[in-house]
Amino acid sequence: MFSRSRQSLPLIYSAASKRLLKRSPCVGSAIGSIRHHGGPSVSTNAPTVTVHFLQPDGETVKSVPARVGESLLQTAHRNDIDLEGACEGVCACSTCHLILPQDVYDNQEEPSEDEEDMLDMAYGLTDTSRLGCQIMVSEEMDGIQFEMPKATRNFYVDGHVPKPH
Amino acid sequence: MISASFFGRYAAVRSVAIITARTSGFITSGRQIVCPPKRIQSFHSRCHSTTASTTSNANGDAKPCSVAIVGTGPSGCYTAKYLLNAFDKKSTTNSSGIHIDMLERLPTPYGLVRYGVAPDHPEVKNVENDFAQLFVDSNRIQFWGNVAVGSDAVVSLEELRELYDVVVLAYGCASDRKLGLPGETSLLGIVSAREFVAWYNGHPYFDHIGYEVANALGNDNNDNPKHVVIIGQGNVALDCARVLAKGAQGLKDTDIASRSLPIIGEDGVANVTVVGRRGHIQGAFTIKELRELTKLQAEGHGAKFVVLEEELDLGETPASKQELEQKGSRPKVRINKLLRDAAAASSNHDDTTTMDTKQVQLRFLLSPKEFQPSDADPSAVGAVVCERTQLEGEPGKQRAVGTGQLETFPANLVLVSIGYKGTPLPGLEQWFDAQRGVVQNRGGKVDEATAALGGLYVSGWLKRGPSGIIGTNIMDAKDTVVNIMKDLDASNSDDSKSDAREKLLELLQQRGVHVVSWSDFQKIDAKETSASYKRTDQQPREKIVELDEMLEAAGVASR
Ligand SMILES: Cc1cc2nc3c(=O)[nH]c(=O)nc-3n(C[C@H](O)[C@H](O)[C@H](O)COP(=O)(O)OP(=O)(O)OC[C@H]3O[C@@H](n4cnc5c(N)ncnc54)[C@H](O)[C@@H]3O)c2cc1C
Ligand code: FES
């Protein structure tokens, strides 16, 4: 039996979380402490641009101020946009999936292998899908519209059903 | 966010209950802890007050509502979250309110996030922080732990439906699909992956599984390398394979229960073979979990990942190739490539693969036919005989058909991982699809049930079957919430069962049930995360695995 004494042992992360920690500087340990909407901590007086979120109904558009340097997931959460971030921005859940306009998609750095792997599980995947927690707001994004995956009413009947379990 | 002043402003409230699943197995193996009435009174005070409940709605706006949600896994929590959202949207101009009581069989919330998700996937469990936010405002929403719905000694489904305006069943799956092979239930050493996972994750009802696993992996008094055969190829199977391959060494700093480490061994298990009936393009696993297996060796866990090129070739029928070209096939295409690369890598190193090398094999097109008893102990399993299959049929509908060719895999332990399965609570049988293990519903509404008593709804694995990731429960919960809201709007009764919470408390009090409140759970959480209780500093927590100890830590019962 392992005793419950305190020993100092090296922390084991998956390669995924290690790399992500590098990517999102303010994301602390992937284990333990409570963090919300992980991502870079961007000062409240950072320059802002206006971005639009096309809602899952495919009609409503919500326009919100985005701080340059934060992730689109952070923008969404600061502005009460209904985008989930179940893993708190560490590329482990795909609930922050957004669809980018082609040119914005093309201007991004290539998604990492981990992001690609998570996108494979995303509901309503398209060719220009990305994870909102991995896309950082830049000045060029002023006026850009990001699309949230469409809600299908009977999604489990006629939609994509991931079957990993 | 729900402001603390919400109830100052909005007096009228309807109550809603969400329930989680129980199986006969769980109820019998789990002790139902009862307590003297004074314990219950203290639950009342620990939970803050329930004074906000009134029935009248002066403005005639949206109706108040009481809701019980059975189960506090992702589906119960997301249902609660979106119900609150839906009421908030309506409540800006009126004085309606909602009371949600979340009833959970265990003293701890979060369902399979706590007791299913692999210990080496801590990032996935970050969602617990989001769910915890729900319980901050104890007026609108309350956690009722250690309340197993469906047991006469606690509260029955019918009683809940009498008490609450709306009952949402979100109790998940407490059973499994069976292969139906002789020996499956009688030979020792054959365990369902569901039970194995619950055991290593520290679920209080599964301590006994440790004895069977220990027996299978350790007690033949020799150092022969051990063999585990895992039947089924979903992510649960891959999680089990990875945990067994990593062993204690690779898992010390996770929240895996300490009770399991000596049993899976310092270096883990030497030979893990994961077999599936169909080909690699039909596998139910996703790429993240597959990639982790391919990296076990590179990341220092010493286990070689083996895939056989010839099996990939066999699986690449013309129909499979078409499947790879269909719309939406991107995940399959990427899995195919990863497996092809892995097969090439494993054949390059064939000379180094001996029985001494720890390995995880992923084997396709093999259907289990028979369990053979061990020579040493005829009451225990010794091998699994599989039949080679071939794929037949149209793209997307290919079936694995036996070829008559047999292969025997030695096995000290067999994990059957062919799917979780839901079971009905007493009183739910008539609306239950026993074949699929789900409650019959339309958009989450249990149609037939709704007429007589209050509304009955379902969410999560119990609604759609055991598939999908945590995120899948979001859309699923929204679907159920839309229909609850629609029904509430359409109902012309103005009467809300606004005293549901008090009445439930009274009932549980009479029956001597020790209810674990949110703040009681905080005490369990504090103990589990305290430095003195953890085995290493890096561990996020060490779970308390005994029910009595949990209740003691919660302060609701003493030994
Ligand atoms: C082994 C495993 C690993 C997984 N790993 C991942 C992963 O890495 N990432 C991911 O996205 N998804 C993962 N999933 C999927 C995810 O866990 C499920 O999608 C999700 O948990 C389903 O939620 P649920 O609320 O329907 O059921 P559950 O999570 O099972 O919740 C049901 C709850 O109801 C309670 N309950 C049962 N009976 C009663 C009763 N009678 N009265 C009161 N309460 C009751 C249970 O105790 C439990 O808390 C995994 C699943 C499994 C099985
Ligand atoms: S928040 Fe989980 S992947 Fe982006």
Side-chain angles (χ1 to χ4, degrees):
Chain A
M1 258 292 158
F2 280 84
S3 73
R4 288 190 173 128
S5 66
R6 306 181 59 176
Q7 315 159 21
S8 205
L9 283 159
L11 183 50
I12 300 183
Y13 282 122
S14 67
S17 47
K18 239 186 260 165
R19 197 185 39 69
L20 282 160
L21 294 181
K22 254 189 254 155
R23 251 181 123 106
S24 316
C26 85
V27 176
S29 149
I31 299 173
S33 67
I34 296 191
R35 289 164 291 107
H36 293 287
H37 320 318
S41 50
V42 172
S43 125
T44 48
N45 47 27
T48 60
V49 294
T50 301
V51 299
H52 313 287
F53 288 94
L54 177 62
Q55 299 300 296
D57 64 6
E59 288 168 15
T60 321
V61 175
K62 289 189 181 166
S63 303
V64 300
R67 292 177 190 156
V68 171
E70 71 183 357
S71 73
L72 284 174
L73 175 66
Q74 289 174 305
T75 308
H77 281 172
R78 275 195 310 100
N79 293 287
D80 286 332
I81 303 280
D82 220 355
L83 187 68
E84 292 286 344
C87 75
E88 304 186 338
V90 295
C91 206
C93 72
S94 81
T95 58
C96 61
H97 171 203
L98 286 172
I99 300 161
L100 277 49
Q102 185 72 51
D103 52 334
V104 177
Y105 181 86
D106 293 340
N107 282 339
Q108 300 299 309
E109 260 182 59
E110 291 274 297
S112 66
E113 188 174 80
D114 294 313
E115 187 182 341
E116 296 272 27
D117 287 359
M118 288 318 301
L119 281 169
D120 277 358
M121 297 191 218
Y123 161 75
L125 185 68
T126 73
D127 288 343
T128 60
S129 288
R130 291 292 303 263
L131 296 181
C133 65
Q134 301 301 303
I135 302 293
M136 304 303 146
V137 174
S138 63
E139 267 160 24
E140 300 77 64
M141 284 183 189
D142 197 26
I144 298 295
Q145 176 167 305
F146 299 96
E147 185 182 333
M148 298 166 69
K150 292 218 177 23
T152 327
R153 236 183 64 78
N154 285 321
F155 78 96
Y156 50 93
V157 176
D158 56 19
H160 161 71
V161 183
K163 268 210 163 34
H165 295 281
Chain B
M1 267 296 107
I2 304 145
S3 76
S5 64
F6 183 88
F7 274 90
R9 284 182 291 142
Y10 306 122
V13 170
R14 263 167 107 114
S15 48
V16 179
I18 299 183
I19 309 179
T20 41
R22 162 204 86 133
T23 53
S24 42
F26 278 156
I27 289 288
T28 43
S29 58
R31 284 146 293 170
Q32 197 52 56
I33 306 285
V34 293
C35 64
K38 68 176 178 9
R39 286 286 174 198
I40 300 288
Q41 274 145 16
S42 71
F43 174 76
H44 203 267
S45 54
R46 290 192 310 274
C47 278
H48 314 280
S49 73
T50 54
T51 49
S53 304
T54 70
T55 43
S56 65
N57 181 340
N59 302 334
D61 294 323
K63 293 158 205 153
C65 181
S66 62
V67 181
I69 300 183
V70 185
T72 58
S75 64
C77 289
Y78 279 125
T79 302
K81 180 171 178 173
Y82 289 109
L83 262 176
L84 290 180
N85 279 356
F87 267 79
D88 279 348
K89 278 181 194 147
K90 295 200 147 218
S91 298
T92 47
T93 57
N94 65 48
S95 56
S96 73
I98 182 168
H99 262 178
I100 304 181
D101 291 328
M102 299 196 60
L103 314 182
E104 168 59 54
R105 183 178 55 171
L106 296 171
T108 51
Y110 312 137
L112 285 169
V113 180
R114 184 176 156 104
Y115 291 120
V117 171
D120 56 348
H121 287 168
E123 332 72 59
V124 175
K125 304 185 200 198
N126 284 347
V127 71
E128 291 180 359
N129 296 329
D130 184 38
F131 295 157
Q133 290 299 309
L134 285 171
F135 299 102
V136 170
D137 180 347
S138 66
N139 261 327
R140 299 185 88 192
I141 181 161
Q142 283 185 3
F143 174 73
W144 296 56
N146 198 37
V147 177
V149 175
S151 154
D152 288 345
V154 184
V155 58
S156 72
L157 178 56
E158 199 180 342
E159 285 165 337
L160 268 191
R161 295 189 62 210
E162 273 162 16
L163 291 176
Y164 288 82
D165 294 316
V166 170
V167 174
V168 184
L169 304 170
Y171 63 78
C173 296
S175 182
D176 354 71
R177 296 196 176 280
K178 302 272 186 290
L179 290 161
L181 294 180
E184 186 177 359
T185 48
S186 55
L187 283 175
L188 290 172
I190 304 177
V191 174
S192 83
R194 179 181 63 87
E195 296 170 309
F196 181 71
V197 165
W199 165 70
Y200 70 58
N201 274 325
H203 193 299
Y205 297 172
F206 291 87
D207 193 38
H208 59 288
I209 296 299
Y211 298 96
E212 190 160 355
V213 176
N215 209 41
L217 294 180
N219 282 0
D220 58 358
N221 296 327
N222 65 43
D223 287 338
N224 293 345
K226 296 297 183 287
H227 294 260
V228 177
V229 174
I230 304 177
I231 298 170
Q233 291 185 328
N235 281 341
V236 176
L238 268 47
D239 278 354
C240 292
R242 194 177 66 254
V243 163
L244 286 167
K246 283 189 174 178
Q249 227 182 108
L251 296 165
K252 277 192 183 75
D253 293 333
T254 71
D255 68 0
I256 192 168
S258 284
R259 69 181 176 197
S260 58
L261 292 183
I263 297 174
I264 61 174
E266 188 64 10
D267 294 324
V269 169
N271 287 282
V272 179
T273 308
V274 186
V275 300
R277 264 184 321 138
R278 298 197 292 170
H280 65 290
I281 295 169
Q282 293 80 33
F285 50 78
T286 54
I287 195 162
K288 174 187 168 186
E289 282 72 13
L290 177 64
R291 196 182 300 283
E292 286 174 305
L293 290 184
T294 68
K295 288 183 175 170
L296 282 173
Q297 202 153 36
E299 291 184 348
H301 302 293
K304 188 174 150 54
F305 178 60
V306 178
V307 189
L308 305 180
E309 198 128 40
E310 53 273 29
E311 278 183 348
L312 302 186
D313 291 344
L314 283 174
E316 230 172 283
T317 59
S320 292
K321 283 190 180 140
Q322 271 175 268
E323 286 173 21
L324 288 178
E325 280 156 17
Q326 278 163 0
K327 191 166 169 276
S329 63
R330 173 192 137 129
K332 297 281 176 203
V333 170
R334 297 183 71 241
I335 284 172
N336 185 41
K337 177 166 187 317
L338 182 58
L339 283 169
R340 284 285 173 186
D341 292 348
S346 48
S347 61
N348 285 346
H349 296 283
D350 255 355
D351 45 338
T352 60
T353 311
T354 66
M355 276 317 216
D356 303 336
T357 322
K358 187 159 88 167
Q359 52 176 288
V360 176
Q361 292 200 35
L362 196 53
R363 299 289 309 271
F364 299 100
L365 299 163
L366 289 164
S367 173
K369 283 282 127 179
E370 189 193 341
F371 294 115
Q372 289 180 341
S374 134
D375 292 338
D377 175 4
S379 67
V381 70
V384 184
V385 180
C386 293
E387 181 181 16
R388 168 67 69 211
T389 64
Q390 64 189 25
L391 295 175
E392 288 177 7
E394 300 289 302
K397 292 184 192 141
Q398 294 189 88
R399 294 183 46 240
V401 181
T403 63
Q405 187 193 331
L406 300 179
E407 185 169 347
T408 301
F409 295 90
N412 302 90
L413 173 70
V414 176
L415 301 178
V416 180
S417 185
I418 57 170
Y420 286 44
K421 195 172 179 188
T423 49
L425 288 179
L428 198 59
E429 296 85 353
Q430 51 191 319
W431 305 301
F432 205 77
D433 179 339
Q435 176 83 32
R436 294 179 55 222
V438 298
V439 178
Q440 288 163 4
N441 70 92
R442 223 173 355 155
K445 181 177 181 183
V446 185
D447 273 328
E448 307 306 317
T450 309
L453 289 164
L456 187 63
Y457 302 83
V458 61
S459 209
W461 275 16
L462 192 66
K463 169 183 172 186
R464 64 174 199 277
S467 70
I469 52 177
I470 290 169
T472 317
N473 300 296
I474 295 172
M475 212 78 77
D476 183 294
K478 284 182 176 172
D479 180 51
T480 298
V481 168
V482 163
N483 288 304
I484 294 174
M485 296 307 288
K486 218 188 271 173
D487 292 347
L488 288 177
D489 284 349
S491 122
N492 40 24
S493 144
D494 259 345
D495 296 340
S496 161
K497 300 175 186 170
S498 55
D499 53 356
R501 188 169 277 176
E502 289 80 355
K503 284 193 170 151
L504 177 62
L505 195 57
E506 206 176 298
L507 190 82
L508 294 176
Q509 184 169 4
Q510 281 164 10
R511 293 179 185 167
V513 178
H514 283 295
V515 183
V516 174
S517 72
W518 184 248
S519 60
D520 298 332
F521 164 65
Q522 297 307 302
K523 295 179 210 154
I524 297 179
D525 186 59
K527 178 165 183 182
E528 290 186 339
T529 53
S530 68
S532 56
Y533 199 71
K534 292 194 289 183
R535 63 176 175 259
T536 79
D537 284 347
Q538 288 79 4
Q539 256 197 304
R541 73 175 64 242
E542 170 69 27
K543 289 178 202 160
I544 303 175
V545 298
E546 279 178 31
L547 213 45
D548 291 349
E549 192 186 341
M550 284 175 145
L551 295 177
E552 194 191 3
V556 301
S558 50
R559 284 175 200 249

